[in-house]
Amino acid sequence: MTLYLDSASPDDVRRAAELGLVAGVTTNPKLLARVDQPAEQVLLEVCDALSDGTVFYQLTASTLEERREEALRIAGLRPGRIGLKIPCTTENLTLVPELTREGLVCGVTAVFSAHQTLLACEVGADFVIPYVNRATRQLGDGIRLVEEIADVIEALEARTEILAASFHNLTEVVEATRAGADHVTISLSLLETL
């Protein structure tokens, strides 16, 4: 299992890097909005704060073509260092094969079912990213969702890995790992508590 830091704060990333416990960083539009700088600048600072590892950015452009252009532009900021989080919609899934052929790391995010996992694996996603706590609140059992996702990946013998997100306590982190998550992404406060 690998730990990722869920933050867009360069200070948080520097602290996590000092601890030597994280292999990468995940950001999202809400986290980036908390930092008073353009997203591109924040991503560069986060990459600099963590000397190695993948820094994930979530695509947000309005149209499919704009998301394709956004993906190439953002990944080009630091080639080989920035991964893409692509929200799981039918339209967005068409981007994944094209972007992975370009050599880009793609994580299909906001995965809330085994059905979505099946599609993410079929289009060649490197990661599926379920929101554990949110799934518990909306569906009743986020840990069970991780188990179902792991079962689908195993049945398909897919290379796709689970990067579980959305944790509110350490029990969820440990249980998601036991349920089959290959990686987890957590806040700095959870990381320090862990």
Side-chain angles (χ1 to χ4, degrees), residues 40 63 90 96 114:
E40 289 86 352
T63 69
T90 304
V96 175

Side-chain angles (χ1 to χ4, degrees), residues 50-118:
L50 187 71
S51 62
D52 194 22
T54 303
V55 175
F56 280 93
Y57 169 84
Q58 185 169 321
L59 301 180
T60 60
S62 299
T63 69
L64 185 65
E65 183 55 37
E66 289 170 344
R67 287 189 293 278
R68 179 180 292 111
E69 292 169 6
E70 177 186 22
L72 296 173
R73 184 182 79 252
I74 294 293
L77 292 172
R78 285 285 162 80
R81 290 288 313 280
I82 297 176
L84 303 168
K85 289 171 56 181
I86 302 168
C88 191
T89 67
T90 304
E91 182 179 64
N92 281 344
L93 288 172
T94 66
L95 282 174
V96 175
E98 177 183 342
L99 296 174
T100 57
R101 278 193 300 275
E102 294 282 332
L104 304 180
V105 173
C106 294
V108 175
T109 194
V111 173
F112 286 99
S113 73
H115 307 95
Q116 290 175 311
T117 302
L118 177 75

Side-chain angles (χ1 to χ4, degrees), residues 138-153:
Q138 294 178 353
L139 306 172
D141 192 347
I143 301 303
R144 179 70 189 131
L145 173 62
V146 175
E147 291 172 350
E148 291 172 1
I149 290 170
D151 289 346
V152 168
I153 291 171

